[in-house]
Amino acid sequence: MAKKKRFGGIYWRQFSLTAGMVLLTLLLLGTSFFTLTYTYIMNERKDELLEKAQLISELSTNYGTSSLYPPAFGSQDQGMQIIARVAASLTDIDFLIWDTRTNTLLTTDSNLEGLEVSLPTRITEPVLNGQTYSGLSTLNIYTKSKYVTAVPIYDAAGLQIQGMVLAVTDAHSLTDMWQAFLGIFAMTSITVLLIAFVASSVTAMQQTKPIQEMAMATRRFAEGNFDARVQTGDRDDEVGELAEAFNAMADSLQQTERQRREFIANISHELKTPMTTITGYADGILDGTIPPEKEEHYLRIISDESRRLNRLVRRMLEVSQLQSLDLLREKGSFDICESMRRVLISMEKKITDRQLDVEANIPEEPVLVLGDNDLITQVIYNLLENAAKFADPGSTLYLGLAVRGQKAEVTVRNHGATIDAEELPRLFERFHKADKARSEDKDGVGLGLYIVKTILDQHREQIFATSENGLTTFTFTMTLTGEHGKNAHERG
């Protein structure tokens, strides 16, 4: 199965496709080349034979065609034979001068001198009718077919045909030049084919190597190794982009896996502490280790830890629900100023218990934003609760709103301990709490700000945190609706 998959892979498919295209191209070019060159060479050779035959015919007429008809060849015949032999020596053509009356030949081929022959009628008939002939024939003389071109010989007046000139050449001589061209073409084709094969092989291997590395990295991911990456090199093509995207996905998966492990570790820690307290004190009451007069005190601790455990589980359920919601369907226009006022009223007892002053900068006129009213109200509540929880007693808690462009910016600020710069980016992680928060805030579970970030991310909004000289500020944005912009314009 592995072998079948290997030879059916991208490499072999691309290689076979390229090789097939090159072979098909060479075949078409070869066929076209053969047809054109063969036709050209044959026509050129025919024209040459015809031209030479006509030349000898004219010389025969001018030399005195009456001498062709004596009982035997005379001196003039010998002179004509010498002329024909000179013409034949300059080419690879033999010339035969045929006497129509005696069927004798005057020829440049000494083996045929004086022969009385009867030429095939398919040659003599058209020539004696004033036409020319070209084709293959043995002339009833040769053992093998030769290429023959025949033209008539006229008398001095140019009226009566008294004979014919036949230009004869071996058939293979017509194809020698074409065969030479064919050999050059064959060598060129083989060279191009080899170059194409090598180039196709190298290109296919370069394209499939990153894909093979991705497959190997995917298998390593399945085995739990999230450190595997694909080497992109200097590639700037689509395969390089795919490899970079794969590495980005691998980084994201590795980050997700790290967060998952941290989540499991954090939730185990958060659940273990109250459960250990509840179990220990309950066992102490049951086995009598805790005196009866202190049972009420420890039962109160058990009750508090149970409530904290309940809050933790509830927060986890909230996070799970938020991650599965499609908030885009829940978005609508609402007055964020009214939401801020409701949160302040609901937080009145906690603010009073912490002995905090409140500075509210909330516009009296409605500021309409786009989003889920209940979820954004929870964001404001979580931020204000977090600010009140870590504010110095007797300090001022600030809640305000400002409109900048197409965004409304909600700000929550408190005076308290300064958060280190390296801790700020981690404030919105699950279960993250600074050391001081862990020591002073026993009721916190570290999910409030994570919920804030989750809700705002689903709204495609941003949140910023700063902390300098004891002043910690959280600011998040909300998109204004078109209706608010229209009302603001009319008021202006």
Side-chain angles (χ1 to χ4, degrees), residues 66 71-72 98 123 165 204 241:
S66 59
W98 184 64
I123 297 177
V165 176
E241 292 180 1

PDB file of all heavy atoms in Angstrom, residues 66 71-72 98 123 165 204 241:
ATOM      1  N   SER A  66      19.149  15.783 -85.610  1.00  0.00           N
ATOM      2  CA  SER A  66      19.109  14.841 -86.727  1.00  0.00           C
ATOM      3  C   SER A  66      20.150  13.761 -86.583  1.00  0.00           C
ATOM      4  O   SER A  66      20.017  12.670 -87.115  1.00  0.00           O
ATOM      5  CB  SER A  66      19.318  15.588 -88.048  1.00  0.00           C
ATOM      6  OG  SER A  66      20.581  16.251 -88.025  1.00  0.00           O
ATOM      7  N   PRO A  71      22.229   5.062 -88.500  1.00  0.00           N
ATOM      8  CA  PRO A  71      22.271   3.644 -88.147  1.00  0.00           C
ATOM      9  C   PRO A  71      23.152   3.408 -86.940  1.00  0.00           C
ATOM     10  O   PRO A  71      22.917   2.486 -86.179  1.00  0.00           O
ATOM     11  CB  PRO A  71      22.844   2.970 -89.417  1.00  0.00           C
ATOM     12  CG  PRO A  71      22.528   3.904 -90.517  1.00  0.00           C
ATOM     13  CD  PRO A  71      22.568   5.277 -89.944  1.00  0.00           C
ATOM     14  N   ALA A  72      24.204   4.203 -86.796  1.00  0.00           N
ATOM     15  CA  ALA A  72      25.074   4.046 -85.614  1.00  0.00           C
ATOM     16  C   ALA A  72      25.462   5.441 -85.158  1.00  0.00           C
ATOM     17  O   ALA A  72      25.401   6.400 -85.908  1.00  0.00           O
ATOM     18  CB  ALA A  72      26.312   3.219 -85.962  1.00  0.00           C
ATOM     19  N   TRP A  98      17.065   9.197 -75.272  1.00  0.00           N
ATOM     20  CA  TRP A  98      16.370   8.063 -75.919  1.00  0.00           C
ATOM     21  C   TRP A  98      15.885   8.464 -77.295  1.00  0.00           C
ATOM     22  O   TRP A  98      15.250   9.517 -77.468  1.00  0.00           O
ATOM     23  CB  TRP A  98      15.196   7.629 -75.029  1.00  0.00           C
ATOM     24  CG  TRP A  98      14.456   6.421 -75.520  1.00  0.00           C
ATOM     25  CD1 TRP A  98      14.941   5.170 -75.659  1.00  0.00           C
ATOM     26  CD2 TRP A  98      13.101   6.387 -75.950  1.00  0.00           C
ATOM     27  NE1 TRP A  98      13.975   4.315 -76.111  1.00  0.00           N
ATOM     28  CE2 TRP A  98      12.815   5.044 -76.299  1.00  0.00           C
ATOM     29  CE3 TRP A  98      12.078   7.334 -76.069  1.00  0.00           C
ATOM     30  CZ2 TRP A  98      11.570   4.637 -76.774  1.00  0.00           C
ATOM     31  CZ3 TRP A  98      10.837   6.927 -76.534  1.00  0.00           C
ATOM     32  CH2 TRP A  98      10.585   5.593 -76.874  1.00  0.00           C
ATOM     33  N   ILE A 123       5.796   6.242 -69.029  1.00  0.00           N
ATOM     34  CA  ILE A 123       6.764   7.328 -69.122  1.00  0.00           C
ATOM     35  C   ILE A 123       6.723   7.954 -70.510  1.00  0.00           C
ATOM     36  O   ILE A 123       6.721   9.184 -70.666  1.00  0.00           O
ATOM     37  CB  ILE A 123       8.187   6.818 -68.798  1.00  0.00           C
ATOM     38  CG1 ILE A 123       8.250   6.310 -67.357  1.00  0.00           C
ATOM     39  CG2 ILE A 123       9.223   7.919 -69.015  1.00  0.00           C
ATOM     40  CD1 ILE A 123       9.609   5.727 -66.991  1.00  0.00           C
ATOM     41  N   VAL A 165      14.915  13.193 -72.981  1.00  0.00           N
ATOM     42  CA  VAL A 165      16.037  13.143 -72.041  1.00  0.00           C
ATOM     43  C   VAL A 165      15.499  12.681 -70.691  1.00  0.00           C
ATOM     44  O   VAL A 165      14.496  13.213 -70.197  1.00  0.00           O
ATOM     45  CB  VAL A 165      16.717  14.517 -71.899  1.00  0.00           C
ATOM     46  CG1 VAL A 165      17.814  14.454 -70.827  1.00  0.00           C
ATOM     47  CG2 VAL A 165      17.296  14.954 -73.222  1.00  0.00           C
ATOM     48  N   ALA A 204       9.694  19.137  -9.170  1.00  0.00           N
ATOM     49  CA  ALA A 204       8.705  18.349  -8.430  1.00  0.00           C
ATOM     50  C   ALA A 204       9.202  18.016  -7.029  1.00  0.00           C
ATOM     51  O   ALA A 204       8.445  18.073  -6.056  1.00  0.00           O
ATOM     52  CB  ALA A 204       8.391  17.071  -9.201  1.00  0.00           C
ATOM     53  N   GLU A 241       4.504  29.958   1.019  1.00  0.00           N
ATOM     54  CA  GLU A 241       3.418  30.539   1.811  1.00  0.00           C
ATOM     55  C   GLU A 241       2.674  29.458   2.583  1.00  0.00           C
ATOM     56  O   GLU A 241       2.285  29.657   3.741  1.00  0.00           O
ATOM     57  CB  GLU A 241       2.448  31.281   0.886  1.00  0.00           C
ATOM     58  CG  GLU A 241       3.048  32.536   0.251  1.00  0.00           C
ATOM     59  CD  GLU A 241       2.060  33.233  -0.660  1.00  0.00           C
ATOM     60  OE1 GLU A 241       0.917  32.733  -0.774  1.00  0.00           O
ATOM     61  OE2 GLU A 241       2.421  34.262  -1.261  1.00  0.00           O
TER      62      GLU A 241
END
